[in-house]
């Protein structure tokens, strides 16, 4: 799993670099309006965080699927099904009250979701890894394998 995490982290770093360098350049190809460019610039940190964690989140979720830890994934997504819209509705309420809510705020909310999901997945993977190693050690001890190595 550690090699998967390294690949996920490197992919995330590459994506963050592409977003932070590429989006400002590419956005100028579509508009010259300074207000639009400013809004795009404000969204870049949230987009970068969201996509930067995507590689780690993906390896975590893939590993959980490989472990067939479907009940954990089901429960997590069932919880997120209610939490994410609740947070988005909070943003909508703020906007309706006249509090400025821009693209950066929305991407920041999505980024928080991605970070929580990544930490949750990787924590569960680490737990399953420790559990598997512990069970393997017990089996080796029972069979006397560990003593001969």
């Amino acid at each position: 799993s550690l090699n998967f995490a390294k690949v996920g982290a490197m992919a995330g770093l590459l994506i963050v670099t592409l977003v932070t360098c590429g989006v400002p350049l590419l956005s100028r190809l579509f508009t010259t309006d300074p207000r639009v460019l400013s809004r795009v610039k404000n969204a870049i940190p949230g987009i970068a965080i969201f996509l930067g964690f995507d590689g780690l989140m993906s390896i975590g979720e893939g590993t959980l699927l490989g472990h067939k830890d479907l009940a954990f994934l089901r429960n997590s997504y069932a919880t997120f099904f209610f939490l994410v819209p609740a947070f988005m509705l909070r943003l909508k309420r703020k906007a309706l009250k006249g509090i400025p809510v821009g693209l950066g705020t929305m991407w920041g909310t999505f980024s928080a979701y991605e970070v929580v999901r990544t930490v949750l997945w990787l924590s569960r993977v680490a737990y399953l890894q420790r559990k598997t190693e512990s069970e393997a050690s017990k089996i080796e001890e029972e069979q006397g394998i560990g003593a001969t190595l």
Side-chain angles (χ1 to χ4, degrees), residues 74-132:
R74 177 201 62 218
N75 294 339
S76 298
Y77 277 118
T79 302
F80 294 141
F81 179 80
F82 294 102
L83 287 179
V84 172
F87 280 103
M88 296 309 282
L89 287 172
R90 286 181 63 200
L91 293 178
K92 182 178 180 179
R93 277 190 229 110
K94 285 183 179 182
L96 291 174
K97 290 180 183 178
I99 299 169
V101 175
L103 289 175
T105 305
M106 289 175 33
W107 275 105
T109 301
F110 285 130
S111 295
Y113 162 64
E114 189 78 351
V115 169
V116 166
R117 199 165 50 145
T118 301
V119 170
L120 191 61
W121 284 190
L122 295 179
S123 297
R124 182 66 175 188
V125 167
Y127 164 76
L128 291 174
Q129 183 67 34
R130 284 191 308 273
K131 181 180 171 187
T132 301

Side-chain angles (χ1 to χ4, degrees), residues 19-85:
V19 167
T20 56
C21 296
V23 170
L25 297 173
L26 291 174
S27 61
R28 290 190 179 98
L29 297 175
F30 296 98
T31 185
T32 57
D33 185 342
R35 291 179 299 164
V36 172
L37 292 172
S38 174
R39 288 182 178 180
V40 169
K41 182 182 175 187
N42 289 339
I44 290 173
I47 295 169
I49 291 169
F50 180 85
L51 294 175
F53 275 86
D54 199 51
L56 290 172
M57 187 281 306
S58 295
I59 65 105
E61 186 171 41
T63 304
L64 291 174
L65 287 169
H67 276 279
K68 295 185 176 26
D69 198 5
L70 302 179
F72 176 79
L73 289 170
R74 177 201 62 218
N75 294 339
S76 298
Y77 277 118
T79 302
F80 294 141
F81 179 80
F82 294 102
L83 287 179
V84 172

